[in-house]
């Protein structure tokens, strides 16, 4: 029972922290934490696709762009209330994700990585090309959002709460999905497609589903991000964005449900700190962190914390036995050593 | 043919395994086997599928994690890296032949001589090998994938000979080949041993043939040696006749 | 057809585009070749290949013009540069050799610890390398475009109404030299043979004494050197900046996929086709300049769906 208390305690502290942050940080910091929520949603989506179902996607930024432009265009041009555009952006991205997922079924491993890499690089030029719709280089802007019903919150605080409410709205279903049958099916596919198929897991169904759901999360995240800035332009959807999602997923903790939170914190705050500390872009730090994490802590920050907690509870043995999707199993390692 | 004196087992064995255990991850394949290959003789390792024959050879070449002691010419080589073991003079023809299928016959043979520098000696060895396998001479520019199974097996043996090894490890040279070809290959193995005194450890399921060319033999069952002796003793042994010779 | 006419289609104009497309294709070919080298050795696409080439190009640029960036300012060797007429080619040679060394170093330090790791891990590591190299170049030289000019005369020869500019011809010539050198190396030298064998048949190779792990490092070195050539050749055309190779890398990927990702000859053929196709798309389709990247995406997807082994690749038999 001690274990349950500890989990509840961590949950309570986390929730308290979330409520306290917007009251003790300045406007800029609150705004940054609002963005963390959006990135966290996107990384949950990528984690489902790559971390759990094992399909390498370097192109989830493309699905984010769909959510972003849906929200921006519907709000700015059609006068829709921005809140309504969030599910629309998510669903539209999800639909495209399903469609992308079908040909992706036939691209295994590295080929899928290649194709999604090409997808990531294609977003900006495509957005620039169809400038009648997207506004081209100039982008699309709309009136900054303000708290509804005269709630006594600053704009940033409203964005913050909006972001985190949406985060929990989409996080809980993801959590349930991953704990259940679907999550098990995805992991089975990731670990061995042959074995999964032999056990009656429908590969096509689950793999396409992962694409669709992942893209839905990316779309919602894209919507949220645009609502934060009340502006979008094609340059935000360069390869860099997709790489940041990957960095966040890996460093936060691959195939760990809590990993996206840590990863999103990192990719939002590190660029700012790199700018402040050494007046430089964060790529160097991201790249170095990525390799160090893969080498020393393949389960990311969340994995390290989990290990720490297990040690705290005096279950060292279990702590030593955590293996992740990035490591070869002992049997494989032996084969490789030959 | 007359097997050399089998009593040399306790003398200067070229290769000696003592209490060797090996495992693939959690699966243990060898449970403490000991055997010796005396200089100049052919030793056969018999047993059914999954008995650990291949693993024994892999343990010598450092291709599986091993406990115990593997000594070659008195040097400890346990868990050595395959390339280092090869450089010591052990040529291992793996099961399935390890043919470099996209390379030509000549390139395969050249790869055998990879660590050697003396071009003249390599040329002479090419002549020596094609002496055993004359077809390789005119077909040296043929891509190996187009060779028949038997030819690929001969090419693998030829490649091993190009290493100028002091010990030859052969893993199931008969695998998947027609009986006539198998007999031919075993004759060549015997000839090579006779002419060059090349020590050979051959793993075989076809005990009949193996015992004909070997001086000594060991019988493996689920990772343990259950019988050993001179080839003539074993071919007369009741249980060997029953289980492996099909008589 | 009316689209073509609207864009001012002429036959010599078409030939013109084919020639300059082949010039661009030659650049993709060298980078694609670098990719194929590593793919054959370890079954992974090196996503950092383009960035490594970009960095090599900065090395050559620094040697020619003396701009060693932040590092140069800090250490005070901005005065050092090759003020010779052949400066470009000397810098070219030094940069290629340095890239070879750096490639080996990268393999030993960053890749070797992950030998045999799952695909996702290797992809992440090469993307990490991508970020590191991009960040290093940006940190040292900044993100402003630099001009790095010109190994070849800025003029053209006219033949039958088609003008061939020396830059395209020069790039094609250098590429041909590199390709021939590579073919000779892999076909006729013992080391080249061993590298081929080590990448295709690692186990058999180790059993005849080949140190396959070193062959992999050599492969990275060679690949970095070949990639450097593509970067240095393309820099005078596209300007120098830390992101200059991203689209080139994509086109090289498309080329390798089109030609067959395990086939060096295929990579070259694929690259020429891609170069010419992209030149035509860029010229004859309105807004085509922006559509080059998605066009490459389209090629990659269509080829992988219809003929995964590529034009010249063998259907997969090796892996399960």
């Amino acid at each position: 029972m001690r274990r349950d208390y500890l989990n509840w305690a961590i949950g309570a502290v986390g929730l308290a922290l979330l409520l306290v942050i917007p009251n003790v940080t300045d406007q800029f910091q609150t705004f940054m934490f609002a963005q963390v929520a959006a990135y966290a949603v996107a990384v949950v989506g990528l984690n489902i696709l790559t971390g759990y179902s094992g399909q390498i996607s370097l192109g989830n930024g493309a699905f984010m762009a769909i959510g972003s432009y849906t929200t921006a265009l519907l709000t700015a041009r059609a006068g829709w209330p921005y809140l309504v555009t969030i599910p629309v952006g998510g669903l539209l991205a999800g639909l495209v994700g399903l469609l992308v997922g079908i040909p992706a079924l036939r691209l295994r491993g590295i080929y899928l990585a290649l194709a999604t890499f090409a997808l990531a690089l294609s977003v900006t030029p495509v957005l620039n090309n169809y400038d009648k719709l997207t506004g081209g280089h100039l982008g699309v802007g709309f009136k900054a959002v303000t708290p509804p019903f005269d709630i006594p919150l600053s704009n940033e605080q409203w964005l913050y709460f909006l972001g985190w409410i949406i985060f929990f709205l989409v996080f809980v279903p993801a959590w349930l999905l991953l704990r259940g049958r679907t999550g098990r099916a995805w992991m089975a596919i990731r670990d061995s497609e042959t074995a999964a198929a032999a056990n009656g897991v429908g590969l096509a169904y689950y793999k396409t589903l992962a694409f669709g759901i992942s893209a839905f999360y990316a779309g919602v995240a894209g919507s949220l991000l645009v609502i934060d800035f009340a502006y979008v332009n094609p340059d935000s959807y360069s390869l860099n964005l997709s790489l940041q999602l990957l960095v966040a997923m890996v460093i936060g903790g691959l195939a760990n449900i809590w990993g996206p939170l840590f990863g999103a914190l990192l990719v939002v705050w590190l660029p700012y700190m790199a700018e402040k500390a050494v007046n430089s872009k964060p790529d160097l730090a991201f790249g170095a962190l990525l390799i160090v994490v893969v080498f020393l802590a393949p389960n990311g920050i969340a994995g390290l914390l989990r290990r720490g907690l297990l040690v705290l509870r005096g279950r060292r043995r279990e702590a030593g036995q955590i293996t992740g999707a990035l490591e070869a199993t002992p049997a494989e390692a032996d084969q490789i050593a030959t | 043919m007359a097997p050399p004196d089998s009593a040399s087992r306790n003398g200067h064995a070229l290769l000696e395994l003592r209490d060797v255990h090996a495992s693939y991850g959690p699966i243990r394949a060898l449970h403490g086997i000991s055997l010796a290959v005396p200089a100049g003789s052919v030793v056969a390792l018999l047993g059914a599928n999954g008995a650990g024959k291949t693993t024994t050879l892999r343990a010598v070449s450092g291709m599986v994690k091993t406990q115990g002691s593997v000594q070659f010419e008195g040097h400890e080589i346990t868990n050595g890296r395959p390339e280092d073991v090869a450089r010591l003079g052990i040529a291992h023809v793996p099961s399935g032949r390890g043919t470099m299928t996209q390379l030509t016959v000549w390139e395969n043979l050249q790869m055998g001589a990879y660590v050697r520098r003396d071009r003249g000696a390599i040329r002479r060895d090419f002549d020596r090998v094609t002496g055993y396998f004359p077809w390789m001479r005119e077909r040296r520019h043929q891509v190996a994938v187009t060779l028949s199974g038997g030819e690929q097996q001969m090419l693998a043996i030829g490649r091993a000979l190009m290493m100028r090894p002091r010990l030859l490890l052969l893993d199931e040279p008969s695998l998947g080949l027609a009986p006539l070809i198998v007999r031919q290959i075993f004759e060549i193995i015997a000839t090579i041993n006779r002419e060059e005194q090349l020590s050979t450890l051959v793993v075989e399921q076809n005990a009949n043939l193996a015992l004909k060319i070997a001086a000594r033999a060991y019988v493996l069952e689920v990772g343990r040696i259950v019988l050993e002796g001179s080839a003539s003793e074993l071919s007369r042994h009741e249980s060997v006749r029953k289980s492996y010779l099909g008589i | 057809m009316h689209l073509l006419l609207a864009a001012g289609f002429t036959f010599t104009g078409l030939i013109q585009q084919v020639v300059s497309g082949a010039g661009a294709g030659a650049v993709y070919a060298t980078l694609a070749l670098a990719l194929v080298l590593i793919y054959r050795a370890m079954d992974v696409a090196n996503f950092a290949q383009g960035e490594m080439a970009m960095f090599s190009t900065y090395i050559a640029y620094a040697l020619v013009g003396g701009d060693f960036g932040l590092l140069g300012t800090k250490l005070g060797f901005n005065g050092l540069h090759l003020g010779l007429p052949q400066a470009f080619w000397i810098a070219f040679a030094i940069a290629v050799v340095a890239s070879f060394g750096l490639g080996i170093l990268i393999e030993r330090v960053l890749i070797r610890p992950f030998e045999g790791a799952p695909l996702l891990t290797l992809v992440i590591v090469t993307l990490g390398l991508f970020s590191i190299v991009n960040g290093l170049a940006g940190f040292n030289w900044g993100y402003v475009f630099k001009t790095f000019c010109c190994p070849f005369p800025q003029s053209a020869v006219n033949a039958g109404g088609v003008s061939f500019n020396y830059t395209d011809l020069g790039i094609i010539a250098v590429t041909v030299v590199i390709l021939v050198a590579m073919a000779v190396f892999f076909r006729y030298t013992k080391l080249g043979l061993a590298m081929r064998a080590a990448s295709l048949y690692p186990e058999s190779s180790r059993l005849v004494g080949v140190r396959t792990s070193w062959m992999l490092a050599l492969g990275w070195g060679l690949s970095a050197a070949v990639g450097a050539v593509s970067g240095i050749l393309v820099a005078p055309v596209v300007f120098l900046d830390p992101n200059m190779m991203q689209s080139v890398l994509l086109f090289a990927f498309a080329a390798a996929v089109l030609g067959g990702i395990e086939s060096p000859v295929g990579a070259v053929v694929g690259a020429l086709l891609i170069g010419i196709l992209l030149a035509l798309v860029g010229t004859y389709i309105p807004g085509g300049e922006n559509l080059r990247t998605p066009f490459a995406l389209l090629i990659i997807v269509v080829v992988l769906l219809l003929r995964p082994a590529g034009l010249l690749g063998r259907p997969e038999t090796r892996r399960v």
Side-chain angles (χ1 to χ4, degrees), chain B residues 150 154 173-189 204 206 209:
Chain B
M154 295 183 210
S174 73
L175 193 74
L177 302 180
L180 195 70
I181 309 284
V182 172
R183 202 168 322 136
Q184 203 182 334
I185 287 175
F186 270 84
E187 267 162 28
I188 294 172
I189 297 170
E204 251 312 324
N206 188 334
L209 270 172

Side-chain angles (χ1 to χ4, degrees), chain A residues 1 5 28 50 55 60 98 115 136 154 167 174 191 206-208 213 218 267 273 282 292 301 309 330 333 336-337:
Chain A
M1 278 300 102
Y5 285 132
F28 171 75
T50 302
Q55 303 180 79
N60 267 32
L98 282 177
S154 71
F167 172 81
D191 295 338
Y206 280 106
K207 288 177 80 173
T208 318
I213 292 180
V267 293
M273 299 205 219
V292 168
I301 298 174
L309 282 178
I336 289 150

Side-chain angles (χ1 to χ4, degrees), chain A residues 32-33 35-40 43 164 241 243-253 258-275 281-294 300-302 304, chain C residues 131:
Chain A
M32 293 290 270
F33 281 111
Q35 288 177 59
V36 172
Y39 275 98
V43 181
W164 286 101
L241 176 65
L243 284 187
Q244 279 188 5
L245 297 182
L246 184 91
V247 166
M249 173 181 70
V250 174
I251 296 180
W258 302 106
L261 284 175
F262 304 106
L265 267 173
L266 184 91
V267 293
V268 171
W269 279 102
L270 189 75
Y272 169 72
M273 299 205 219
E275 185 75 45
K281 296 201 178 187
D283 307 58
L284 195 54
F286 277 150
L289 267 177
L290 207 51
I291 290 177
V292 168
V293 164
V294 172
I301 298 174
L304 282 180
Chain C
S131 276

